[in-house]
Structure formats: structure tokens, C-alpha cells
Amino acid sequence: MTDIQVLVVDNEPLMRQALKIILEAAPGFQWLGEATNGIEAVDFCAGNNPDVILMDMQMPRMDGVEATSIITTNYPGIGVLAITAFSSEEYLVPALRAGAAGYLVKDAEPTEILAAIQAVQDGSAAISASVSQDLIRAIREAHDVKPSSSIGPNPMALSEREQEVLQLLARGRNNPEMAAELHISEATVKAHLSRVMAKFGVRDRVQALIRAAQYGLVELHMD
């Protein structure tokens, strides 16, 4: 199996060095290069082919949100994993909206960072356990996702299993946790989520949760 090629983007030299050490010490991963801001990250992708980018959100010249949006639009084969000191709505929702496949805080353990990179490479989402409730709170507060009668009926009926997956997603569960609770494979979880997003006509999990809450299909739990 080919090593996962990783670009590290962060304006802090110590953080770049720490992530480089983690990647170089782990089998199956390869540090491909580094950038200190969003402009450098976009330029790097024009001439290189990283599999996954570890993207800081708060950087000079061009921040991580803008860089993520440009990269995921122009290079859809590259997965972006936001990694930042902040788990607040100010950074969390914009990063996911820009196309980031995951969001980690910088104090995550090396094993969690590597697992998140692998998840993004595998086409899954990776949300740090410490920010999953912030994500739910941000969706609730920023998007006013209350059941609405004006949106009309559910346009396409969900299967019982798809509804179960949605309920667990609303509780902040990640793919492995959903697979364990439902006694199915992670690949099957991903397939159910893909069908849910297709039925709702949305492109990511955040939008799927918003739509599901608007239809009154889920309640976004804070515990």
C-alpha cells in the first residue's frame, strides 16, 4: 500500500516540526512538504499531489478557510483536515463549509491525528471528540435548525437504517462509533450516509444534519 502523502500548513514553525516528526515516525504516512500560509498551500497543490493536507485555520496572508475552499474546489482529490487551537463556531463551521473533511484541535494525541488522516484518506469524516459537541451546538445556534413546516414533507423517504445513522450523527458519533453501535461495517455506514446526503440534495454531513433537523427527523443533542 502506498504511503499517505501529507502536506502540513501552519504558520507556527514548532507546530510544523511537531507534525513532521509524527508523520515521519509513523509507518504508512509520508511528510510531503510544508507551507506557512494559505497562498503557499494553494501554490504547492498546483505542482504536487498531496493526499491529505493538515490545514491550520488562522494564518496570515490567506487563512485556512479560504485556502481550503480553493483547494477542495480546484483539486477535489485532495482531502483537507483542519487542525487548529480553536473549536469555536468561528472556525469550526466555516472550515467544514469550505470543504474540510475533518476538524481536529492541536492538542490531539498523535494517534488521533494519524487516525484522522487515515479517515480522510479513506473518504470518511474525522471530527475530534473534543469538538463534536461544539459542532452540534454551532449547527443549532448558527443555522437555527428547528423543525419547520414551511420546508414541506420529506422529499424522499429514508430507510430505517438511514434514520438510525442520522440519529447517531446528530449525537456526534463518528463512523467507527456508528458502525459499532449498529453492528455494521464502516463501509456500510459511509454508504448509508452517502444515500442520505443524495436524498437530501446536500454535499456534506453538516448540511445533512441541518436538513434533517428542519424536517424534524432528528434533535441535536448536547450530551
Side-chain angles (χ1 to χ4, degrees):
M1 181 180 293
T2 305
D3 290 350
I4 301 174
Q5 308 288 307
V6 182
L7 169 67
V8 174
V9 184
D10 199 299
N11 66 307
E12 298 179 7
L14 288 177
M15 191 64 193
R16 293 198 306 272
Q17 182 64 20
L19 291 171
K20 180 180 180 180
I21 291 171
I22 291 170
L23 291 166
E24 290 186 332
F29 300 85
Q30 182 175 342
W31 177 87
L32 186 61
E34 63 183 41
T36 63
N37 58 63
I39 293 175
E40 291 181 5
V42 172
D43 290 343
F44 186 94
C45 292
N48 300 276
N49 296 297
D51 295 311
V52 176
I53 299 175
L54 290 176
M55 181 78 76
D56 188 21
M57 290 291 100
Q58 192 175 39
M59 296 181 292
R61 299 186 67 193
M62 179 187 289
D63 65 19
V65 174
E66 185 178 356
T68 296
S69 180
I70 293 172
I71 290 169
T72 56
T73 298
N74 295 332
Y75 309 99
I78 299 175
V80 177
L81 179 59
I83 183 164
T84 176
F86 305 96
S87 63
S88 67
E89 174 192 327
E90 180 184 359
Y91 296 96
L92 178 59
V93 172
L96 297 175
R97 285 292 191 190
Y103 193 102
L104 294 179
V105 290
K106 288 186 176 180
D107 62 357
E109 293 292 331
T111 52
E112 184 179 4
I113 294 172
L114 295 172
I117 294 171
Q118 183 68 63
V120 170
Q121 174 69 2
D122 292 341
S124 183
I127 303 295
S128 182
S130 62
V131 302
S132 60
Q133 296 306 318
D134 291 313
L135 173 58
I136 291 173
R137 182 181 295 107
I139 294 171
R140 267 175 59 168
E141 295 177 356
H143 301 282
D144 191 27
V145 288
K146 298 175 181 177
S148 171
S149 59
S150 62
I151 196 171
N154 186 354
M156 188 175 297
L158 300 180
S159 69
E160 181 177 351
R161 184 64 88 190
E162 288 165 354
Q163 292 181 52
E164 290 174 341
V165 168
L166 261 182
Q167 293 294 334
L168 291 177
L169 186 64
R171 288 169 171 78
R173 305 294 196 271
N174 59 28
N175 281 10
E177 290 168 339
M178 286 190 276
E181 291 193 37
L182 297 175
H183 305 289
I184 57 179
S185 69
E186 289 184 45
T188 302
V189 170
K190 289 169 59 178
H192 285 310
L193 286 171
S194 295
R195 284 194 290 271
V196 168
M197 289 186 283
K199 289 179 178 182
F200 285 165
V202 299
R203 66 179 180 84
D204 59 45
R205 296 171 180 226
V206 175
Q207 293 175 341
L209 277 180
I210 293 170
R211 187 59 55 87
Q214 288 174 328
Y215 286 134
L217 299 175
V218 300
E219 293 183 3
L220 298 179
H221 295 265
M222 300 305 296
D223 51 30

